[in-house]
Amino acid sequence: MAQDMNQQVIFLPEGTKRTRGRDAQRINILVARAVASAVKSTLGPKGMDKMIVDDLGDVTISNDGATILGEMSIDHPAGKMMVEIAKTQDDEVGDGTTTVVIIAGGLLEKAEKLLNDEIHPSIIVKGYKLAAAKAKEIFENMSEDISVSDKQSLKEIAITSMTGKSAEGADELAELVMKAITQIAVQEGGKVTIDLDDVKVEKKVGGSIMDSQLIDGIVLDKEVVHSGMPKKVENAKIALVDAAMEIKSPETDTKVQISDPDQLQAFLDQEEAMLRRMVESVKKAGATVVVCQKGIDDIAQHYLAKEGVMAVRRAKKSDLDALAKATGAKVVSRINELTAADLGKAKVVEERKIAGDNMVFVEGCKNPKSVSLLVRGGSEHVVDEAERAVKDAIGSVSAAIRVGKVVYGGDASEAEAAAKLRDYAKTVGGREQLAVEAFAEALEIIPRTLAETAGMDPIDTIVALRSKHSSKEGKWIGVNVYTSKLEDMKKNKVTEPLKVKTQAITSGSEVAEMLLRIDDIIAGSGKGKGPPMPPGGMGGMGDM
Ligand code: ADP
Ligand code: MG
């Protein structure tokens, strides 16, 4: 297995043009399994972290499957498909990214054994399809109800999805996530909807994770632009501007011929007059706060300060969008056309010092469903990982509310599903039965991996877990990684959304089936394709 310094997971052998039949399957399986084994050790609260160093020496330390895979440069198409499912899981649920990759890798590992026993790939695919559908049904049947008002359980879900990611402060962060999601959830006639655009995650290095806070509104990582401006505005009327409050320097080399000093003065006066007009229209519309996406000229700043208007410049576009949604403001491009109807409302806009830096808090917005989570931590790596943990938890908690169902972790649910799937296999019969049984075994790789991270013997653990689940001793018996014992995970309050499990089954089995169907890998000419994506795709480019 080629795994070299610059994180190539596998190379197609030099000069390979075409691989057919079993060789094609074998290579795809090999690659997919390699990707799965790369993230396997991170599973669960006792999972290890990975340090990824890129070409420029930038370091990412993470325990998050999607993040790790996103940072690795993987060339082989089968490997890319594995990265893709982690991304899908992240987009659809926001958690369970390691799980989905391990399931896909496990399904392929078990399929390889069946292939070696001369079982045709189409039989395996058929058996896997039956098993995936049945497994989802089993998960649904074992799941329990949850609602927006079950605050304690929702907090437990947040804790479960964060454990292993941020050692200290998980409890505090979980509380904040639970509060944020229950605040933005909208209940309408028995249905609950959550718009994740309503919760903004902002991070600031300094202090500790315990200093993280939930803000009833929006935080901008910006300062008030001029010292003469108010630091606090109550009952604010907010203008959002996406154009510069500056006189643009000419695009082409324009020469302005000035022959005497009076003309120069007139020219400067005219510039000033234009800036003054901008400020006047802000004033006329009745705005008391201006958030500008571009620059604000010194002269404009001066006049705004004189008018008692608070202003922030070079705000991110995403901030402007969030503010528009929260305060009800319309983003305008022509300041001179600003009207009172374009302004948004908030109870307080205030600049506060956080870890030595000024940040602007916009609180008590017109839309009470708008919240921000300000994540704090002692160093950049801590804050980054805490942010990822918070995002996982946000995904988990909202997935639980949307679907309204939970299961219990420590991989009790996978063990239970595997046991039930084995009963089902007997009813399938034929060679497909073997594939359904293989599917059950693949599911067991999850508790088995968890046992390994807890230093338990994986084989003994699986044997014990199997006997407990087949004797119906308790459907929630799973691996407690803290005590290294098999315990009832419902009693341990390790709560997880059903959606994490069903989505992982869907994506994991789909990619396994797709790879099993391939019997020919052909090197194409690449004609008609665009230029290659930069490593890691477009991710990490950040907000401009
Ligand atoms: P993923 O990226 O798949 O979410 P995680 O590293 O978050 O991977 O680990 C998730 C797994 O850890 C789940 O299978 C879950 O049941 C298990 N887990 C989480 N908390 C606990 C706990 N306190 N005890 C045992 N297992 C846990
Ligand atoms: Mg997780």
Side-chain angles (χ1 to χ4, degrees):
M1 173 84 278
Q3 193 157 13
D4 81 344
M5 296 299 287
N6 55 32
Q7 311 123 25
Q8 305 279 20
V9 167
I10 197 165
F11 299 98
L12 280 176
E14 191 87 334
T16 304
K17 278 279 174 256
R18 186 165 187 181
T19 326
R20 289 187 227 213
R22 285 302 309 281
D23 282 345
Q25 270 145 4
R26 217 165 271 165
I27 287 178
N28 282 337
I29 291 174
L30 190 71
V31 173
R33 286 183 56 190
V35 172
S37 76
V39 294
K40 219 172 154 182
S41 68
T42 69
L43 187 78
K46 295 261 167 156
M48 306 299 279
D49 293 350
K50 300 271 168 189
M51 180 188 265
I52 303 138
V53 188
D54 72 9
D55 293 349
L56 300 170
D58 282 342
V59 175
T60 304
I61 299 171
S62 183
N63 180 285
D64 186 66
T67 306
I68 296 165
L69 293 175
E71 294 281 337
M72 291 191 339
S73 64
I74 294 172
D75 273 348
H76 196 281
K80 289 196 171 134
M81 285 166 75
M82 296 290 275
V83 177
E84 230 15 75
I85 55 167
K87 259 200 84 223
T88 306
Q89 180 83 14
D90 210 20
D91 295 343
E92 292 280 325
V93 202
D95 196 9
T97 51
T98 313
T99 303
V100 68
V101 171
I102 295 179
I103 288 182
L107 287 172
L108 288 163
E109 180 188 327
K110 301 297 169 192
E112 195 171 28
K113 288 214 184 89
L114 297 176
L115 290 171
N116 289 340
D117 291 342
E118 303 298 333
I119 294 179
H120 195 273
S122 65
I123 302 274
I124 305 174
V125 169
K126 196 169 160 214
Y128 276 8
K129 266 191 190 310
L130 289 171
K134 189 70 188 174
K136 280 190 275 184
E137 187 189 312
I138 295 169
F139 272 110
E140 264 154 40
N141 287 339
M142 76 171 101
S143 66
E144 296 182 357
D145 292 341
I146 192 167
S147 79
V148 198
S149 50
D150 297 332
K151 301 224 155 125
Q152 189 52 35
S153 306
L154 292 173
K155 186 176 165 186
E156 284 156 15
I157 293 171
I159 291 177
T160 303
S161 76
M162 280 195 291
T163 34
K165 291 208 171 62
S166 51
E168 32 117 42
D171 197 74
E172 281 79 3
L173 288 179
E175 177 85 21
L176 297 180
V177 169
M178 180 275 286
K179 282 190 177 148
I181 302 297
T182 47
Q183 186 168 340
I184 65 168
V186 183
Q187 280 180 347
E188 254 169 354
K191 235 184 103 68
V192 184
T193 50
I194 295 170
D195 182 355
L196 288 183
D197 284 343
D198 283 336
V199 50
K200 187 166 172 272
V201 181
E202 192 67 56
K203 54 187 176 181
K204 190 92 205 158
V205 178
S208 83
I209 289 183
M210 318 288 181
D211 297 319
S212 302
Q213 48 174 308
L214 182 65
I215 291 112
D216 181 17
I218 306 277
V219 209
L220 304 171
D221 191 3
K222 294 281 161 202
E223 57 182 2
V224 170
V225 78
H226 190 280
S227 58
M229 289 176 177
K231 302 284 182 220
K232 181 173 182 179
V233 176
E234 291 188 30
N235 297 320
K237 297 218 171 107
I238 305 162
L240 303 179
V241 183
D242 67 0
M245 296 184 73
E246 291 168 329
I247 304 298
K248 271 194 215 122
S249 42
E251 306 264 316
T252 47
D253 264 342
T254 315
K255 270 206 186 103
V256 182
Q257 290 273 359
I258 291 172
S259 44
D260 70 76
D262 285 352
Q263 264 182 333
L264 177 63
Q265 194 52 48
F267 183 72
L268 292 175
D269 286 348
Q270 202 188 348
E271 249 195 38
E272 190 168 331
M274 284 166 82
L275 290 165
R276 272 186 92 147
R277 265 205 300 282
M278 288 184 186
V279 175
E280 265 157 29
S281 27
V282 167
K283 191 69 201 166
K284 215 170 79 210
T288 51
V289 175
V290 175
V291 180
C292 183
Q293 199 186 322
K294 305 271 170 63
I296 302 178
D297 189 279
D298 289 350
I299 296 176
Q301 288 178 27
H302 168 80
Y303 285 117
L304 285 168
K306 256 175 91 173
E307 298 290 354
V309 174
M310 178 200 272
V312 171
R313 68 173 163 183
R314 301 195 206 294
K316 287 186 282 188
K317 175 158 192 327
S318 58
D319 284 344
L320 242 62
D321 292 343
L323 277 171
K325 191 153 193 264
T327 66
K330 266 200 227 87
V331 179
V332 296
S333 305
R334 293 169 184 274
I335 301 167
N336 295 338
E337 290 169 15
L338 187 74
T339 68
D342 299 322
L343 305 180
K345 287 193 187 118
K347 285 209 182 74
V348 184
V349 180
E350 187 179 16
E351 181 184 75
R352 285 176 211 150
K353 228 177 198 54
I354 301 289
D357 284 340
N358 287 321
M359 295 183 101
V360 173
F361 291 70
V362 182
E363 291 171 331
C365 299
K366 192 175 167 198
N367 169 12
K369 297 282 171 205
S370 229
V371 297
S372 298
L373 237 156
L374 180 59
V375 179
R376 308 284 308 279
S379 76
E380 205 171 319
H381 291 304
V382 171
V383 177
D384 286 352
E385 187 70 348
E387 183 195 24
R388 285 190 282 269
V390 161
K391 286 189 170 162
D392 279 12
I394 287 175
S396 267
V397 173
S398 43
I401 295 175
R402 279 180 185 144
V403 179
K405 300 276 180 194
V406 291
V407 294
Y408 296 90
D411 300 336
S413 55
E414 280 89 349
E416 177 70 8
K420 289 244 161 71
L421 214 46
R422 280 203 184 85
D423 293 341
Y424 167 70
K426 292 185 197 114
T427 68
V428 172
R431 294 189 155 205
E432 284 86 355
Q433 174 175 345
L434 299 174
V436 177
E437 279 163 1
F439 199 106
E441 272 176 47
L443 278 185
E444 278 174 348
I445 296 180
I446 304 282
R448 186 191 168 114
T449 307
L450 205 57
E452 277 176 64
T453 66
M456 297 160 77
D457 184 279
I459 301 191
D460 292 350
T461 309
I462 287 302
V463 170
L465 203 54
R466 252 186 216 177
S467 94
K468 283 185 193 297
H469 280 270
S470 56
S471 68
K472 319 260 184 287
E473 201 174 301
K475 62 175 173 178
W476 301 127
I477 292 183
V479 180
N480 183 340
V481 293
Y482 297 107
T483 59
S484 299
K485 289 203 181 94
L486 297 183
E487 291 171 9
D488 187 314
M489 298 316 279
K490 186 177 175 180
K491 289 198 184 117
N492 275 296
K493 303 188 189 324
V494 182
T495 316
E496 289 182 292
L498 169 67
K499 177 84 178 169
V500 172
K501 306 295 180 186
T502 50
Q503 181 65 44
I505 299 274
T506 305
S507 305
S509 58
E510 268 173 15
V511 77
E513 288 159 21
M514 197 180 283
L515 287 174
L516 285 171
R517 276 210 199 92
I518 296 168
D519 72 345
D520 208 345
I521 304 172
I522 305 163
S525 65
K527 264 186 226 150
K529 296 209 183 93
M533 292 271 277
M538 299 296 285
M541 286 184 65
D543 243 305
M544 305 282 289

